[in-house]
Amino acid sequence: MTDSARGAYRSEPYGLPIFPLGAVALPTAPIPLHVFEPRYRQLVSDVVAGDGCFGIVLIERGPEVGGGDVRSDVGTRVRIADTHAFDDGRSALVAVGEAVFDVVGWLADDPYPRSVVEERDPAQSRVDDPENALFGARLALLDIYELAVDLGRLEQLPAVEWDDEPETALWQLCVAAPIGPADQHELLVLDSCQARVAKI
């Protein structure tokens, strides 16, 4: 996956609509969303009319609905890939993760959460010796899946088409790993691909 396919890296801080969730969006991964709160309906409407991008951050404490949540200061810029509007104003959409960002500062939640974000430069986190690093991580993941099949937790091994670019393939590994939101967020927060390889 090329940089253009993921969306160009933005070197300067910028304002971004934010959708806080109890789930983690990882680069390269699709994330389905059911949008029903009025403020997030407005967010989707504005994003669709604009560049199609918004941010997702993990809710560390508090509810997904109604506000009053405590949000992570690290998230993922996502781009809407598909959307379907229902007659009652709800919508279903699929967004795909593009880039990791740090929240520089929160803006007023009016009419929906927004923040100033600074994207992490992908050039600063290249994988050293990517072939060996990714080979080892893939073998470890395969062992986990084979054990899950043996235990009856999976019917068959999942098929993954690995990207040729090491950093993108590493994100695919993070997505494929059978871990929950807290562990996914820990991988997202790490500041280098090398650290993520070691963590996986």
Side-chain angles (χ1 to χ4, degrees):
M1 182 181 290
T2 64
D3 287 342
S4 60
R6 284 198 307 267
Y9 162 65
R10 305 180 190 187
S11 60
E12 299 294 328
Y14 62 96
L16 189 65
I18 301 292
F19 202 132
L21 283 178
V24 176
L26 294 174
T28 77
I31 184 163
L33 296 171
H34 174 211
V35 182
F36 56 89
E37 281 192 80
R39 57 182 176 161
Y40 294 122
R41 293 182 189 181
Q42 184 63 54
L43 182 152
V44 170
S45 176
D46 291 349
V47 166
V48 168
D51 64 2
C53 291
F54 61 98
I56 291 178
V57 298
L58 179 68
I59 295 174
E60 297 182 332
R61 292 193 308 278
E64 279 193 340
V65 179
D69 52 305
V70 177
R71 305 161 186 164
S72 170
D73 58 2
V74 178
T76 303
R77 169 170 50 87
V78 300
R79 183 179 300 275
I80 294 177
D82 191 23
T83 183
H84 174 76
F86 298 101
D87 292 340
D88 61 3
R90 295 177 300 116
S91 63
L93 61 89
V94 175
V96 178
E98 292 191 335
V100 180
F101 62 75
D102 293 293
V103 173
V104 177
W106 287 97
L107 304 172
D109 281 17
D110 184 18
Y112 43 73
R114 298 172 300 133
S115 68
V116 176
V117 304
E118 187 169 13
E119 292 187 8
R120 295 186 179 181
D121 185 351
Q124 300 300 316
S125 62
R126 299 299 185 196
V127 178
D128 296 331
D129 194 10
E131 287 192 15
N132 284 333
L134 290 170
F135 180 73
R138 287 173 185 165
L139 282 182
L141 186 61
L142 181 60
D143 287 343
I144 293 171
Y145 277 128
E146 287 178 341
L147 178 60
V149 171
D150 291 343
L151 294 174
R153 301 290 179 88
L154 286 177
E155 291 185 4
Q156 61 185 15
L157 297 177
V160 179
E161 293 186 14
W162 301 107
D163 197 274
D164 292 334
E165 185 183 55
E167 288 73 27
T168 300
L170 174 58
W171 281 120
Q172 290 177 312
L173 273 169
C174 294
V175 172
I179 57 177
D183 291 321
Q184 287 181 328
H185 187 254
E186 191 173 343
L187 290 173
L188 188 73
V189 170
L190 292 173
D191 60 5
S192 75
C193 288
Q194 207 65 35
R196 292 187 189 101
V197 168
K199 189 69 178 177
I200 291 175

